[in-house]
Amino acid sequence: MAKGILQIFLEKVKEVFGEEKASPQAVSSKTISPAISSVAAPPKPISPEVAKVPAKSTSLAEQLRAEIARDATHFYVFETGETVTIPAGLTCSSHTSMNSETGYITLANGNPKAPPAGITGGYSIRLPDQVEAAASGKHITVRIIARASGSDQSHFAVAYSTNEVGNSGWRKFTAGSEWSIHTMEYNVPVMKEGRGDFIGILPDSEGSPGAEFCYLAINISERQ
């Protein structure tokens, strides 16, 4: 009898524990990808578009101007006509080039007997007193940008006058159809009282083609 009761008890216990035991539920091993950063990659630098602005064309006269103006002691623009004496009979007209900002003058009807002394008998430029003082006893180089007026060729002459202790005499030049630099040199005597130095420009005589002028520069150096 006792055995039967014990056996029943054990069977009940086994039954209870058998129901409680459950096989572990399979958990799907879903792989979770690691989070990808949502920070955007830095934008690729974009080179600013280079504006292809055509270089401003420089006229021949302006190129030559830059050349003679370099280290010049004195620079003169003919268009302005400052401190100028023009003798009777010599014609002078001012112009502005149609294709550039360059101004210039045309000289014609020079007197072949015009003197290179004093204030000269040509288109005569009075130099500043400080230039006269600096040039005294020194070597000067005069550079003039000129061309023929309305022709392939024209002639003109240039003189440096101290109006006191001598002058260079007329130095003759031939101008072509394009702007070009014409150069003269002179050893300036030592001044005494200082009556003013002049540069005279004499175009060819009446009936000959005139000449055009835009810039003039003077360089002063030790006597050669």
Side-chain angles (χ1 to χ4, degrees), residues 55-128:
K56 183 179 179 180
S57 60
T58 304
S59 69
L60 176 59
E62 294 308 307
Q63 293 177 36
L64 298 176
R65 175 190 188 277
E67 182 177 336
I68 69 171
R70 191 180 304 116
D71 301 325
T73 303
H74 180 65
F75 190 81
Y76 181 82
V77 181
F78 281 91
E79 182 189 15
T80 61
E82 297 175 356
T83 60
V84 169
T85 300
I86 302 175
L90 188 151
T91 60
C92 175
S93 54
S94 298
H95 312 273
T96 299
S97 176
M98 297 298 292
N99 56 357
S100 72
E101 297 301 318
T102 303
Y104 61 94
I105 65 168
T106 300
L107 299 179
N109 299 330
N111 179 359
K113 296 182 179 180
I119 64 173
T120 87
Y123 176 96
S124 192
I125 304 167
R126 170 64 155 86
L127 299 177

Side-chain angles (χ1 to χ4, degrees), residues 46-60:
I46 300 174
S47 300
E49 184 179 353
V50 178
K52 296 181 179 179
V53 179
K56 183 179 179 180
S57 60
T58 304
S59 69
L60 176 59

Side-chain angles (χ1 to χ4, degrees), residues 88-173:
L90 188 151
T91 60
C92 175
S93 54
S94 298
H95 312 273
T96 299
S97 176
M98 297 298 292
N99 56 357
S100 72
E101 297 301 318
T102 303
Y104 61 94
I105 65 168
T106 300
L107 299 179
N109 299 330
N111 179 359
K113 296 182 179 180
I119 64 173
T120 87
Y123 176 96
S124 192
I125 304 167
R126 170 64 155 86
L127 299 177
D129 291 343
Q130 59 268 33
V131 174
E132 176 188 16
S136 174
K138 298 294 179 61
H139 181 84
I140 60 100
T141 301
V142 179
R143 294 184 173 90
I144 300 175
I145 300 176
R147 69 182 177 186
S149 176
S151 64
D152 293 333
Q153 193 177 87
S154 66
H155 304 282
F156 66 95
V158 179
Y160 189 101
S161 172
T162 65
N163 193 28
E164 179 186 33
V165 290
N167 63 83
S168 66
W170 291 116
R171 306 286 182 84
K172 297 180 180 180
F173 299 93

